[in-house]
Amino acid sequence: MITTEGGAPVEVRRSARRTRTVAAFWENGTAVVAIPARFTAAQEKEWVQRMLAKLHRQGERRAASGRKRPASDAALAAHAVRLSERYLSGKAVPASVRWVSNQNSRWGSATPADGTIRLSDKLRPMPQWVIDYVLLHELAHLLVASHNAAFWKLLAAYPETARAKAFLEGVSFAMARGLPGSETGDGTGAVRPGGERWADDAD
């Protein structure tokens, strides 16, 4: 089975009506690459890798673009709904999502019984793709309480999961040792708990 760099599933769709162009886009957490039906196996392999690389680069640009962050609780809740729709097929529906300042041992937490999610305000200065990972982590906990295989399968749809986990581990490492510039984490690293499209010419 083909997967993206972040572990999300990849679906290759051949179309007789598609003669010159190749397209790549996200659909319910799956990276879809649409190619002409006439492609050989070698061409398919080449173009799938090329288009997945473009999707990845686009995701990185979006993360670094400085787009407006969800500052208020209402904006954070609305953002959570969008993330759920994009990566979890809308299955996780939080009752409330809010920033809190009293979480000193967690980046985020979720209570499946009442559907509430809380994110530590120590996340605010971090890259948006890291905040999105923590938010998705907590959304996934509304569906699966434990950190079992089913839980991590849900997060595989988010292409920045591995990178965000590494980022938070790095912040935690720095915080534990009091390194300069490490004030953006809480010292533990515990996270208890509209899609891109690319098209290209194939000729």
Side-chain angles (χ1 to χ4, degrees):
M1 178 181 178
I2 307 173
T3 60
T4 64
E5 223 176 276
V10 176
E11 178 185 346
V12 180
R13 293 180 184 171
R14 287 177 172 265
S15 172
R17 291 182 296 179
R18 185 178 293 276
T19 59
R20 289 175 53 85
T21 61
V22 179
F25 52 93
W26 288 100
E27 184 177 278
N28 296 325
T30 295
V32 179
V33 180
I35 62 174
R38 63 179 174 81
F39 268 16
T40 64
Q43 286 176 310
E44 174 182 321
K45 181 178 180 180
E46 175 191 351
W47 279 94
V48 166
Q49 294 305 316
R50 184 183 298 187
M51 300 307 283
L52 290 179
K54 284 191 174 186
L55 275 182
H56 181 72
R57 288 196 297 272
Q58 187 182 53
E60 289 189 325
R61 283 198 296 272
R62 284 169 57 87
S65 65
R67 64 179 183 263
K68 185 176 180 181
R69 299 188 180 202
S72 68
D73 289 348
L76 188 63
H79 186 58
V81 170
R82 289 193 294 270
L83 287 175
S84 176
E85 290 174 348
R86 182 174 178 186
Y87 296 108
L88 302 174
S89 302
K91 294 177 181 178
V93 183
S96 70
V97 185
R98 58 193 177 93
W99 294 104
V100 295
S101 58
N102 61 350
Q103 290 199 150
N104 296 316
S105 62
R106 301 177 181 181
W107 296 118
S109 61
T111 305
D114 59 15
T116 59
I117 290 175
R118 297 155 298 281
L119 294 193
S120 169
D121 60 6
K122 294 179 178 63
L123 288 165
R124 287 180 184 268
M126 296 187 188
Q128 187 60 46
W129 49 269
V130 175
I131 297 173
D132 286 356
Y133 162 71
V134 178
L135 193 47
L136 275 166
H137 189 111
E138 304 310 333
L139 285 166
H141 272 308
L142 297 183
L143 304 175
V144 180
S146 64
H147 290 105
N148 57 21
F151 172 84
W152 291 111
K153 185 176 180 181
L154 290 174
L155 285 182
Y158 182 54
E160 304 297 340
T161 289
R163 190 159 69 120
K165 287 175 66 178
F167 181 97
L168 292 172
E169 288 170 2
V171 171
S172 299
F173 180 89
M175 284 290 294
R177 287 155 183 78
L179 299 179
S182 61
E183 294 80 10
T184 56
D186 65 1
T188 68
V191 192
R192 299 184 191 183
E196 300 103 328
R197 178 182 290 266
W198 272 99
D200 213 334
D201 197 310
D203 290 337

